[in-house]
Amino acid sequence: MANLEALREYGIDTDEGLACCADDPAFYEEMLGEFLSEGEERLAELRAFFKARDWKGYTICAHSVKSTSRMIGAKALSERARELELAGKAEDAAAIEGAHAAFLAEYAALLDTLRAAL
């Protein structure tokens, strides 16, 4: 079973994550594993879209991170992704450029926490 205490210490609302998974700990752990396994690919996509200044692709990827983060209870990352999604929809390159590095660092740190907890 996942170390829920470590996730809580990191700031993940595991109660919310469990609620999104029908209060089924096995299903929640499966969702955490899927989030982790897709995470490196999402990070690579975000980097590539950013480098190419493909704000449409970036927006779609940020939306995905927003939704999946919220589902596991990672509210802070979900909110940061939401802000970047809105900036992408507005084609606000300056806002994306200003928040991109911190967003990727926070996302990578969450993935590291999940690796350790699972």
Short mmCIF file of all heavy atoms in Angstrom, two decimals, residues 60-95:
data_model
loop_
_atom_site.label_atom_id
_atom_site.label_comp_id
_atom_site.label_asym_id
_atom_site.label_seq_id
_atom_site.Cartn_x
_atom_site.Cartn_y
_atom_site.Cartn_z
N ILE A 60 -3.30 22.04 -23.88
CA ILE A 60 -3.94 20.72 -23.78
C ILE A 60 -3.22 19.88 -22.73
O ILE A 60 -3.85 19.22 -21.90
CB ILE A 60 -3.96 20.02 -25.15
CG1 ILE A 60 -4.92 20.75 -26.09
CG2 ILE A 60 -4.34 18.54 -25.01
CD1 ILE A 60 -4.79 20.34 -27.55
N CYS A 61 -1.90 19.92 -22.74
CA CYS A 61 -1.12 19.15 -21.77
C CYS A 61 -1.32 19.69 -20.35
O CYS A 61 -1.49 18.91 -19.41
CB CYS A 61 0.35 19.18 -22.17
SG CYS A 61 1.36 17.93 -21.35
N ALA A 62 -1.33 21.00 -20.20
CA ALA A 62 -1.57 21.59 -18.88
C ALA A 62 -2.96 21.21 -18.37
O ALA A 62 -3.13 20.93 -17.18
CB ALA A 62 -1.42 23.11 -18.94
N HIS A 63 -3.94 21.17 -19.26
CA HIS A 63 -5.29 20.76 -18.87
C HIS A 63 -5.29 19.34 -18.34
O HIS A 63 -5.91 19.05 -17.31
CB HIS A 63 -6.24 20.87 -20.07
CG HIS A 63 -7.59 20.30 -19.81
ND1 HIS A 63 -8.56 20.99 -19.12
CD2 HIS A 63 -8.11 19.09 -20.11
CE1 HIS A 63 -9.64 20.22 -19.02
NE2 HIS A 63 -9.40 19.07 -19.61
N SER A 64 -4.56 18.46 -19.00
CA SER A 64 -4.47 17.07 -18.56
C SER A 64 -3.83 16.97 -17.17
O SER A 64 -4.32 16.25 -16.30
CB SER A 64 -3.66 16.25 -19.57
OG SER A 64 -3.47 14.94 -19.12
N VAL A 65 -2.75 17.71 -16.97
CA VAL A 65 -2.08 17.71 -15.67
C VAL A 65 -3.02 18.27 -14.60
O VAL A 65 -3.10 17.75 -13.48
CB VAL A 65 -0.75 18.49 -15.72
CG1 VAL A 65 -0.13 18.62 -14.33
CG2 VAL A 65 0.23 17.82 -16.68
N LYS A 66 -3.74 19.33 -14.95
CA LYS A 66 -4.70 19.93 -14.01
C LYS A 66 -5.70 18.89 -13.53
O LYS A 66 -5.94 18.72 -12.34
CB LYS A 66 -5.43 21.09 -14.66
CG LYS A 66 -6.54 21.69 -13.81
CD LYS A 66 -7.43 22.64 -14.59
CE LYS A 66 -8.35 21.85 -15.49
NZ LYS A 66 -9.33 22.68 -16.19
N SER A 67 -6.29 18.18 -14.47
CA SER A 67 -7.35 17.22 -14.14
C SER A 67 -6.83 16.03 -13.36
O SER A 67 -7.42 15.64 -12.34
CB SER A 67 -8.02 16.73 -15.43
OG SER A 67 -8.59 17.82 -16.11
N THR A 68 -5.73 15.46 -13.80
CA THR A 68 -5.21 14.27 -13.11
C THR A 68 -4.64 14.62 -11.75
O THR A 68 -4.76 13.83 -10.81
CB THR A 68 -4.18 13.53 -13.98
OG1 THR A 68 -3.12 14.42 -14.34
CG2 THR A 68 -4.82 12.94 -15.24
N SER A 69 -4.05 15.80 -11.63
CA SER A 69 -3.52 16.23 -10.33
C SER A 69 -4.66 16.40 -9.32
O SER A 69 -4.56 15.98 -8.17
CB SER A 69 -2.77 17.56 -10.46
OG SER A 69 -1.66 17.42 -11.29
N ARG A 70 -5.73 17.01 -9.77
CA ARG A 70 -6.88 17.21 -8.89
C ARG A 70 -7.44 15.86 -8.45
O ARG A 70 -7.81 15.68 -7.30
CB ARG A 70 -7.95 18.04 -9.62
CG ARG A 70 -9.24 18.22 -8.85
CD ARG A 70 -9.09 19.01 -7.60
NE ARG A 70 -8.94 20.43 -7.88
CZ ARG A 70 -8.76 21.34 -6.95
NH1 ARG A 70 -8.73 21.01 -5.68
NH2 ARG A 70 -8.60 22.59 -7.26
N MET A 71 -7.46 14.91 -9.37
CA MET A 71 -8.04 13.60 -9.06
C MET A 71 -7.26 12.86 -7.96
O MET A 71 -7.86 12.13 -7.18
CB MET A 71 -8.13 12.74 -10.31
CG MET A 71 -8.80 11.42 -10.11
SD MET A 71 -9.10 10.62 -11.67
CE MET A 71 -10.61 9.81 -11.30
N ILE A 72 -5.95 13.08 -7.89
CA ILE A 72 -5.18 12.39 -6.85
C ILE A 72 -5.04 13.23 -5.59
O ILE A 72 -4.45 12.79 -4.61
CB ILE A 72 -3.79 11.92 -7.35
CG1 ILE A 72 -2.89 13.11 -7.68
CG2 ILE A 72 -3.92 10.94 -8.51
CD1 ILE A 72 -1.42 12.76 -7.82
N GLY A 73 -5.55 14.46 -5.61
CA GLY A 73 -5.50 15.33 -4.43
C GLY A 73 -4.33 16.29 -4.42
O GLY A 73 -4.07 16.92 -3.39
N ALA A 74 -3.63 16.42 -5.54
CA ALA A 74 -2.49 17.34 -5.63
C ALA A 74 -3.01 18.72 -6.06
O ALA A 74 -2.86 19.16 -7.19
CB ALA A 74 -1.45 16.81 -6.62
N LYS A 75 -3.65 19.39 -5.10
CA LYS A 75 -4.35 20.65 -5.39
C LYS A 75 -3.42 21.77 -5.86
O LYS A 75 -3.78 22.52 -6.76
CB LYS A 75 -5.11 21.10 -4.16
CG LYS A 75 -6.24 20.19 -3.76
CD LYS A 75 -6.89 20.72 -2.49
CE LYS A 75 -7.98 19.83 -1.99
NZ LYS A 75 -8.57 20.36 -0.74
N ALA A 76 -2.26 21.90 -5.25
CA ALA A 76 -1.35 22.99 -5.61
C ALA A 76 -0.89 22.85 -7.06
O ALA A 76 -0.90 23.83 -7.82
CB ALA A 76 -0.16 23.04 -4.67
N LEU A 77 -0.50 21.65 -7.45
CA LEU A 77 -0.07 21.43 -8.83
C LEU A 77 -1.24 21.63 -9.78
O LEU A 77 -1.08 22.22 -10.85
CB LEU A 77 0.53 20.04 -9.01
CG LEU A 77 1.08 19.75 -10.41
CD1 LEU A 77 2.25 20.66 -10.74
CD2 LEU A 77 1.47 18.29 -10.54
N SER A 78 -2.41 21.17 -9.40
CA SER A 78 -3.60 21.34 -10.23
C SER A 78 -3.88 22.82 -10.46
O SER A 78 -4.19 23.24 -11.58
CB SER A 78 -4.80 20.65 -9.58
OG SER A 78 -5.95 20.81 -10.37
N GLU A 79 -3.76 23.62 -9.42
CA GLU A 79 -4.02 25.06 -9.54
C GLU A 79 -2.97 25.72 -10.44
O GLU A 79 -3.31 26.56 -11.27
CB GLU A 79 -4.03 25.72 -8.17
CG GLU A 79 -4.28 27.21 -8.19
CD GLU A 79 -5.58 27.64 -8.87
OE1 GLU A 79 -6.56 26.84 -8.90
OE2 GLU A 79 -5.63 28.77 -9.39
N ARG A 80 -1.72 25.35 -10.28
CA ARG A 80 -0.67 25.93 -11.15
C ARG A 80 -0.92 25.53 -12.61
O ARG A 80 -0.78 26.35 -13.51
CB ARG A 80 0.71 25.46 -10.69
CG ARG A 80 1.83 26.23 -11.36
CD ARG A 80 3.19 25.78 -10.88
NE ARG A 80 3.43 25.98 -9.47
CZ ARG A 80 4.07 27.03 -8.96
NH1 ARG A 80 4.50 27.98 -9.75
NH2 ARG A 80 4.29 27.10 -7.67
N ALA A 81 -1.32 24.29 -12.83
CA ALA A 81 -1.63 23.84 -14.20
C ALA A 81 -2.83 24.59 -14.76
O ALA A 81 -2.85 24.96 -15.94
CB ALA A 81 -1.89 22.33 -14.20
N ARG A 82 -3.82 24.87 -13.90
CA ARG A 82 -4.99 25.63 -14.34
C ARG A 82 -4.59 27.03 -14.80
O ARG A 82 -5.04 27.52 -15.83
CB ARG A 82 -6.02 25.74 -13.21
CG ARG A 82 -7.33 26.42 -13.64
CD ARG A 82 -8.25 26.67 -12.45
NE ARG A 82 -7.79 27.73 -11.58
CZ ARG A 82 -7.89 29.04 -11.85
NH1 ARG A 82 -8.47 29.45 -12.96
NH2 ARG A 82 -7.44 29.93 -10.99
N GLU A 83 -3.72 27.66 -14.03
CA GLU A 83 -3.24 28.99 -14.40
C GLU A 83 -2.52 28.97 -15.75
O GLU A 83 -2.71 29.86 -16.58
CB GLU A 83 -2.34 29.54 -13.30
CG GLU A 83 -3.07 29.86 -12.01
CD GLU A 83 -2.16 30.10 -10.83
OE1 GLU A 83 -0.91 30.06 -10.99
OE2 GLU A 83 -2.70 30.33 -9.73
N LEU A 84 -1.71 27.94 -15.96
CA LEU A 84 -1.00 27.83 -17.24
C LEU A 84 -1.96 27.48 -18.37
O LEU A 84 -1.78 27.94 -19.50
CB LEU A 84 0.14 26.81 -17.13
CG LEU A 84 1.34 27.38 -16.37
CD1 LEU A 84 2.28 26.28 -15.94
CD2 LEU A 84 2.06 28.40 -17.24
N GLU A 85 -2.96 26.68 -18.08
CA GLU A 85 -3.97 26.38 -19.10
C GLU A 85 -4.67 27.67 -19.54
O GLU A 85 -4.85 27.91 -20.74
CB GLU A 85 -4.99 25.38 -18.54
CG GLU A 85 -6.12 25.08 -19.50
CD GLU A 85 -7.21 24.23 -18.90
OE1 GLU A 85 -7.26 24.04 -17.66
OE2 GLU A 85 -8.06 23.76 -19.67
N LEU A 86 -5.06 28.49 -18.58
CA LEU A 86 -5.72 29.75 -18.91
C LEU A 86 -4.79 30.68 -19.69
O LEU A 86 -5.21 31.34 -20.65
CB LEU A 86 -6.22 30.44 -17.64
CG LEU A 86 -7.36 29.72 -16.91
CD1 LEU A 86 -7.66 30.42 -15.58
CD2 LEU A 86 -8.60 29.63 -17.77
N ALA A 87 -3.53 30.71 -19.30
CA ALA A 87 -2.56 31.53 -20.03
C ALA A 87 -2.40 31.02 -21.46
O ALA A 87 -2.30 31.81 -22.41
CB ALA A 87 -1.21 31.52 -19.31
N GLY A 88 -2.39 29.70 -21.61
CA GLY A 88 -2.29 29.12 -22.95
C GLY A 88 -3.49 29.45 -23.81
O GLY A 88 -3.35 29.79 -24.99
N LYS A 89 -4.68 29.37 -23.22
CA LYS A 89 -5.89 29.71 -23.98
C LYS A 89 -5.86 31.17 -24.43
O LYS A 89 -6.35 31.51 -25.50
CB LYS A 89 -7.13 29.45 -23.13
CG LYS A 89 -7.46 27.98 -22.99
CD LYS A 89 -8.70 27.78 -22.14
CE LYS A 89 -9.03 26.30 -22.02
NZ LYS A 89 -10.22 26.07 -21.16
N ALA A 90 -5.27 32.02 -23.59
CA ALA A 90 -5.16 33.45 -23.92
C ALA A 90 -3.94 33.74 -24.79
O ALA A 90 -3.72 34.89 -25.19
CB ALA A 90 -5.09 34.26 -22.64
N GLU A 91 -3.16 32.70 -25.09
CA GLU A 91 -1.90 32.84 -25.82
C GLU A 91 -1.00 33.89 -25.18
O GLU A 91 -0.35 34.69 -25.85
CB GLU A 91 -2.16 33.13 -27.30
CG GLU A 91 -2.88 31.97 -27.99
CD GLU A 91 -3.06 32.17 -29.48
OE1 GLU A 91 -2.43 33.08 -30.06
OE2 GLU A 91 -3.83 31.39 -30.07
N ASP A 92 -0.97 33.84 -23.84
CA ASP A 92 -0.17 34.77 -23.05
C ASP A 92 1.21 34.14 -22.82
O ASP A 92 1.47 33.52 -21.79
CB ASP A 92 -0.88 35.05 -21.72
CG ASP A 92 -0.17 36.10 -20.89
OD1 ASP A 92 0.99 36.45 -21.19
OD2 ASP A 92 -0.80 36.55 -19.92
N ALA A 93 2.07 34.30 -23.81
CA ALA A 93 3.39 33.70 -23.76
C ALA A 93 4.19 34.16 -22.54
O ALA A 93 4.90 33.37 -21.92
CB ALA A 93 4.16 33.99 -25.04
N ALA A 94 4.06 35.42 -22.19
CA ALA A 94 4.82 35.96 -21.06
C ALA A 94 4.42 35.25 -19.76
O ALA A 94 5.29 34.92 -18.94
CB ALA A 94 4.61 37.46 -20.93
N ALA A 95 3.15 35.01 -19.57
CA ALA A 95 2.70 34.32 -18.35
C ALA A 95 3.21 32.88 -18.33
O ALA A 95 3.64 32.38 -17.28
CB ALA A 95 1.17 34.34 -18.26
#
